[in-house]
């Protein structure tokens, strides 16, 4: 469970995130929808304790991100879009294992978790090969495994499908749905209403650091009509 | 910070660096090979031209009168005297190393106690010719002394009146290899400083800016490990790479001293007392740590490999400047003040140690300072690693 309370982040004069509050329940996929520069990445980075909020806080499974950042990090996994960010000279297994170790798992735990992920993601063939020459799809699987190896109960996805081909996008989307199946709390950021509509239970629309709409798909459709793409454009257009 | 976390990062970085061929070549192989290559080539050149001239000194002679001087030259060992038609051409073509023109009436003039004008022909662009000219000059001088001697004796005078003094030389440094020592006191500080700077460089760039450029830094920061674990794991890995670089360059230097001793002024091997070696070793490792920490701090600030390289290249010049600044310094009367200047102090202490001087005050001042630099450099790195502005610089 994630509970965001009045979170703000200012970079000098820029109010990247401006006093936002929302919550996510276990087993729920929440879409954080916004244009480029809306403040999605900054929000997720604060929840992940990578950035210190200017004001406000968030509770992750009851742990306060200001007071117990280490505990918070043990509860969350993050998958970033764009570059997968793997170590080319390490094998897939070594890449995943490094993150298991950094997340302070003991050796047995880590090995077991990796074996599970190999099966889950179908990585048997390349798990002990160096990542450098992998296809994009293979790398994506390794990045996914790395983000979840310590079995977090909260998953943050920051535009994870950006720049991916259809196959790799499918891998990521299936993975997000499988996280939901495991009752994790999931935030999924995107700039595409289409994608959010397909995956999410609830949508939070963020614009210039502020939340402009928060509701389930059904609520939005009854409030604004069937074409949500149109709704998104209107909402972010209004406050321009 | 905890040891397990630091070790996790350290092990991964070392594994990663050792799998990178570029890092290995630049950081270990080149430092190892550079001295044997340079000195090997230089040494071969010098040794071979010396040997050629020593074994067979070819002298071209123009001597119509078949003088006693050319007979004297012919009687010398390892000398070949060749009658020459065109002496300038023969010297130029290298047929002979040096030429000698003896006037036709040489013997008569000598007998009549007249001064004879001899001409030597040499090629001053050739190492061999210059050496041969020296040897020929010495032989003529010896013959001239013989002539003087016989003149004096024939007049009933003891030739000893020509040499009122004899001199002999005694060197102060008791051991052999004084010249080697001199060379080493010039080169070793220069090298050690330069490698303390450049040894950790490649690794620092890879582990800081490289991590940003590959997009691996952000995932790293989401893990439970602390930023200090990341910093110190990386810092120790960089230090190890730097020290390995230093060691391989010294090993290279030692080997090149073995295979081409000529360049280092003779065969007398150089042995340092153990304490001197230990102090120099620690000094170098500490300097490597200082630079490793500084380089990592700047590398993590940079957004890309390229940017990091741009920022860090000046570092190499700093190391060189300090070493060159003390290059020609006479260590016997250095002012105490100089031991308070970064790098200059380390360079001077090394010079002293190489020359067998063991000055506890100098060593102590230098070490205190280096610990201060190391602490400051690490504090700077900690500061940089904890700043959002640095880590998420856009
Ligand atoms: N490290 C940073 N320093 C300064 N400004 C930043 C930084 N990160 C983000 N910003 C600014 O904050 C705003 C929100 O950015 P971001 O959260 O990345 O948006 P999104 O992920 O929705 O595209 C933008 O105006 C961006 O320029
Ligand atoms: Mg973003």
């Amino acid at each position: 469970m994630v509970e965001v309370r009045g979170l703000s982040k200012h970079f000098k004069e820029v109010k990247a995130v401006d006093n936002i509050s929302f919550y996510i329940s276990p087993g729920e996929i929440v879409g954080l929808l916004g244009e480029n520069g809306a403040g999605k990445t900054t929000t997720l980075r604060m929840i992940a304790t990578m950035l210190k909020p200017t004001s406000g806080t968030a509770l992750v499974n009851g742990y306060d991100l200001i007071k117990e950042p280490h505990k918070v990090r043990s509860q969350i996994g993050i998958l970033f879009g764009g570059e997968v960010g793997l170590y080319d000279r390490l094998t897939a297994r070594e890449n995943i294992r490094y993150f298991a170790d950094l997340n302070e798992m003991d050796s047995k735990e880590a090995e077991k978790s990796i074996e599970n992920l190999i099966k889950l993601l179908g990585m048997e063939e390349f798990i002990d090969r160096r990542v450098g020459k992998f296809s994009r799809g293979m790398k994506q699987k390794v990045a996914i495994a790395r983000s979840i190896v310590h079995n977090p109960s909260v998953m943050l996805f920051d535009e994870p499908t950006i720049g991916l081909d259809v196959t790799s996008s499918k891998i990521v989307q299936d993975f997000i749905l499988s996280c939901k199946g495991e009752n994790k709390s999931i935030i999924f950021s995107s700039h595409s209403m289409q994608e959010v509509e397909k995956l999410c239970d609830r949508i939070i629309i963020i614009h210039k650091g502020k939340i402009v709409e928060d509701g389930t798909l059904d609520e939005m459709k009854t409030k604004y009509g069937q074409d949500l793409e149109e709704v998104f454009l209107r909402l972010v257009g209004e406050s321009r | 910070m905890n040891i397990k976390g630091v070790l996790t990062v350290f092990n991964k970085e070392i594994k990663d660096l050792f799998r990178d061929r570029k890092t290995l070549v630049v950081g270990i192989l080149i430092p190892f090979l550079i001295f044997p290559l340079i000195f090997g080539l230089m040494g071969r050149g010098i040794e071979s031209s010396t040997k050629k001239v020593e074994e067979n000194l070819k002298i071209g002679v123009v001597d119509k009168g078949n003088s006693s001087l050319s007979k004297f030259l012919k009687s010398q060992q390892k000398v070949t005297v060749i009658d020459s038609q065109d002496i300038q051409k023969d010297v130029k073509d290298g047929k002979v190393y040096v030429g000698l023109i003896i006037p036709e009436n040489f013997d008569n003039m000598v007998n009549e106690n007249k001064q004879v004008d001899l001409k030597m022909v040499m090629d001053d662009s050739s190492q061999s010719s210059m050496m041969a000219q020296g040897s020929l000059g010495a032989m003529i001088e010896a013959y001239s002394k013989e002539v003087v001697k016989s003149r004096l004796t024939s007049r009933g005078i003891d030739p000893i009146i020509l040499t009122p003094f004899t001199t002999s030389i005694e060197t102060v440094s008791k051991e052999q290899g004084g010249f080697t020592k001199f060379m080493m006191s010039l080169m070793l500080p220069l090298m050690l400083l330069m490698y303390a700077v450049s040894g950790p460089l490649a690794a620092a760039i890879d582990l800081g800016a490289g991590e940003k450029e590959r997009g691996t830094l952000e995932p790293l920061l989401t893990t439970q490990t602390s930023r200090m674990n990341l910093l110190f794991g990386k810092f120790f890995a960089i230090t190890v790479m730097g020290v390995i670089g230093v060691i391989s360059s010294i090993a290279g230097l030692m080997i090149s001293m073995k295979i081409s001793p000529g360049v280092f002024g003779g065969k007398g091997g150089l042995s340092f007392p153990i304490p001197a070696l230990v102090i120099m070793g620690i000094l170098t490792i500490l300097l490597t740590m200082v630079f490793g920490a500084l380089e990592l701090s700047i590398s993590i600030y940079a957004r890309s490999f390229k940017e990091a390289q741009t920022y860090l290249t000046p570092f190499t010049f700093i190391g060189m400047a300090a070493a060159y600044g003390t290059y020609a310094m006479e260590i016997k009367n250095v002012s105490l003040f100089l031991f308070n200047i970064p790098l200059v102090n380390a360079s001077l202490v090394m010079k002293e140690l190489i020359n067998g001087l063991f000055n506890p005050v100098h060593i102590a001042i230098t070490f205190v300072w280096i610990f201060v630099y190391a602490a400051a450099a690490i504090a700077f790195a900690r500061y940089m690693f904890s700043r959002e502005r640095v880590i998420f610089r856009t």
Side-chain angles (χ1 to χ4, degrees):
Chain A
M1 213 193 61
V2 179
E3 194 183 338
V4 174
R5 294 179 178 167
L7 211 51
S8 298
K9 181 72 182 178
H10 301 174
F11 297 107
K12 292 182 184 143
E13 302 88 58
V14 184
K15 291 181 177 175
V17 173
D18 192 5
N19 191 21
I20 62 170
S21 303
F22 61 88
Y23 74 90
I24 303 146
S25 318
E28 188 182 33
I29 304 179
V30 171
L32 192 61
L33 185 65
E35 294 179 311
N36 247 338
K40 306 182 292 291
T41 299
T42 306
T43 303
L44 297 184
R45 278 179 177 167
M46 283 192 286
I47 296 173
T49 77
M50 296 156 74
L51 289 175
K52 270 209 179 69
T54 308
S55 63
T57 187
L59 299 182
V60 177
N61 289 339
Y63 298 116
D64 187 312
L65 64 83
I66 311 274
K67 289 180 203 136
E68 297 161 292
H70 184 257
K71 277 270 167 35
V72 168
R73 284 203 292 270
S74 74
Q75 304 296 310
I76 55 168
I78 290 203
L79 188 67
F80 298 93
E83 271 299 306
V84 279
L86 299 171
Y87 299 105
D88 283 355
R89 295 186 292 265
L90 300 189
T91 66
R93 190 192 296 276
E94 286 165 343
N95 265 286
I96 301 167
R97 182 58 195 263
Y98 183 39
F99 276 68
D101 291 343
L102 289 173
N103 278 307
E104 300 171 359
M105 297 176 82
D106 68 43
S107 199
K108 270 224 182 80
E109 240 187 318
E111 271 162 34
K112 214 178 105 197
S113 171
I114 292 172
E115 287 310 318
N116 280 340
L117 287 166
I118 294 172
K119 278 190 212 106
L120 181 78
L121 294 160
M123 299 191 293
E124 291 87 352
E125 263 175 55
F126 54 82
I127 187 72
D128 287 313
R129 274 164 40 199
R130 291 193 193 175
V131 165
K133 296 209 173 82
F134 280 15
S135 72
R136 184 65 212 241
M138 287 150 86
K139 285 186 177 177
Q140 196 60 55
K141 287 182 176 179
V142 179
I144 288 172
R146 179 182 67 183
S147 71
I148 202 172
V149 64
H150 56 302
N151 197 24
S153 61
V154 174
M155 283 300 296
L156 313 177
F157 295 90
D158 188 18
E159 304 202 43
T161 55
I162 205 158
L164 291 190
D165 56 24
V166 188
T167 330
S168 305
S169 291
K170 183 84 168 67
I171 295 172
V172 173
Q173 289 168 357
D174 288 349
F175 172 64
I176 294 174
L177 289 173
S178 83
C179 288
K180 180 184 163 79
E182 289 173 30
N183 214 31
K184 296 183 194 299
S185 314
I186 300 158
I187 310 182
F188 170 85
S189 92
S190 176
H191 61 267
S192 149
M193 176 56 101
Q194 238 182 345
E195 197 180 19
V196 170
E197 214 179 332
K198 202 163 71 184
L199 285 170
C200 301
D201 304 307
R202 197 147 58 83
I203 300 175
I204 295 169
I205 297 176
I206 181 172
H207 186 61
K208 292 189 172 171
K210 286 194 167 77
I211 291 178
V212 293
E213 187 56 78
D214 179 353
T216 63
L217 289 177
D218 288 342
E219 283 168 5
M220 286 213 186
K221 279 178 185 160
T222 31
K223 190 167 167 192
Y224 297 105
Q226 286 301 307
D227 190 352
L228 288 179
E229 189 78 49
E230 181 71 18
V231 175
F232 175 44
L233 285 176
R234 232 177 56 217
L235 282 172
V236 302
E238 261 170 25
S239 45
R240 229 171 225 160
Chain B
M1 192 173 88
N2 65 61
I3 292 174
K4 202 165 162 239
V6 172
L7 266 180
T8 297
V9 178
F10 175 81
N11 288 338
K12 137 60 181 70
E13 297 298 8
I14 289 288
K15 191 195 290 176
D16 203 348
L17 286 169
F18 269 88
R19 284 187 191 171
D20 181 15
R21 227 169 276 145
K22 207 180 79 206
T23 306
L24 293 184
V25 169
V26 174
I28 300 175
L29 197 63
I30 292 180
F32 181 71
L33 289 180
I34 193 104
F35 287 106
L37 281 180
I38 293 176
F39 291 124
L41 291 177
M42 237 168 85
R44 180 143 307 163
I46 293 176
E47 268 160 34
S48 74
S49 59
T50 316
K51 212 167 249 169
K52 266 191 324 203
V53 176
E54 271 173 1
E55 303 232 301
N56 185 10
L57 179 59
K58 284 185 280 187
I59 304 172
V61 172
V62 179
D63 183 15
K64 299 232 172 71
N66 193 19
S67 66
S68 55
L69 175 56
S70 63
K71 278 180 207 135
F72 173 78
L73 291 177
K74 276 175 198 160
S75 74
Q76 299 292 308
Q77 286 196 338
K78 293 184 180 171
V79 172
T80 309
V81 177
I82 298 163
D83 281 318
S84 174
Q85 306 306 320
D86 185 346
I87 191 73
Q88 269 82 10
K89 187 171 180 296
D90 285 349
V91 172
K92 198 158 182 232
D93 295 349
K95 212 171 117 191
V96 296
Y97 297 126
V98 66
L100 180 65
I101 301 171
I102 305 171
E104 202 172 337
N105 52 355
F106 177 86
D107 285 333
N108 287 337
M109 287 179 75
V110 170
N111 289 336
E112 288 162 22
N113 292 343
K114 282 183 183 150
Q115 199 173 36
V116 188
D117 194 16
L118 295 170
K119 248 200 197 85
M120 286 196 271
V121 181
M122 68 173 288
D123 176 1
D124 61 6
S125 68
S126 148
Q127 183 106 21
S128 312
S129 183
M130 290 200 282
M131 270 184 227
Q133 187 267 327
S135 307
L136 176 59
M139 282 186 259
I140 294 173
E141 184 67 28
Y143 187 66
S144 141
K145 280 197 177 137
E146 288 302 314
V147 172
V148 172
K149 233 190 233 174
S150 69
R151 282 179 188 169
L152 290 173
T153 334
S154 70
R155 281 164 215 199
I157 302 169
D158 189 344
I160 202 148
I161 68 158
L162 285 179
T163 45
F165 319 113
T166 63
T167 47
S168 62
I169 298 164
E170 192 183 301
T171 52
V172 183
S173 59
K174 292 199 180 58
E175 300 146 59
Q176 284 266 300
F179 184 71
T180 313
K181 233 169 220 179
F182 174 70
M183 285 297 288
M184 288 299 274
S185 72
L186 291 185
M187 302 216 16
L188 208 53
L190 183 77
M191 271 180 44
L192 291 179
L193 283 186
M194 270 174 46
Y195 277 105
V197 177
S198 64
L201 201 61
I205 291 176
D206 198 54
L207 269 49
E211 197 99 56
K212 267 192 192 173
E213 185 162 321
R214 285 186 299 256
T216 47
L217 186 62
E218 282 204 46
L220 215 50
L221 295 173
T222 66
T223 64
Q224 285 173 68
T225 207
S226 69
R227 285 191 195 176
M228 289 308 121
N229 287 348
L230 293 175
L231 165 61
F232 281 96
K234 283 170 180 293
F235 170 59
F236 290 134
I238 289 168
T239 303
V240 165
M241 289 310 280
V243 170
I244 291 176
V246 172
I247 290 172
S248 55
S249 74
I250 292 177
L253 184 69
M254 294 298 165
I255 286 172
S256 61
M257 286 173 74
K258 271 252 151 61
I259 56 179
S260 35
V263 188
F264 295 92
K267 302 213 160 45
L270 185 65
S271 59
F272 294 115
I274 300 287
L277 270 183
V278 170
I279 293 174
M280 277 197 282
I282 296 174
L283 216 53
T284 310
I285 291 173
L286 287 173
L287 279 177
T288 308
M289 292 177 100
V290 172
F291 281 106
L294 283 179
E295 287 163 6
L296 181 59
S297 317
I298 289 168
S299 170
I300 199 72
Y301 176 77
R303 279 170 290 219
S304 64
F305 277 104
K306 262 232 171 86
E307 215 183 297
Q309 264 158 357
T310 312
Y311 294 154
L312 287 172
T313 310
F315 269 70
T316 344
F317 296 116
I318 298 172
M320 277 202 262
Y324 276 122
T326 58
Y327 191 70
M329 225 176 252
E330 177 69 48
I331 50 155
K332 291 247 165 77
N333 348 288
V334 203
S335 99
L336 197 61
F337 167 74
L338 288 175
F339 287 89
N340 295 305
I341 300 178
L343 294 180
V344 170
N345 50 12
S347 173
L348 287 173
V349 164
M350 287 184 197
K351 275 183 146 198
E352 289 186 342
L353 290 171
I354 293 163
N355 284 285
L357 283 172
F358 193 89
N359 186 324
V361 177
H362 291 174
I363 293 170
I365 295 177
T366 302
F367 266 89
V368 167
W369 273 121
I370 288 185
F371 279 116
V372 172
Y373 312 147
I378 291 171
F380 181 55
R382 290 183 62 145
Y383 171 78
M384 294 298 264
F385 263 70
S386 61
R387 297 287 292 174
E388 282 174 8
R389 289 251 169 75
V390 173
I391 302 280
F392 295 103
R393 188 160 159 257
T394 47

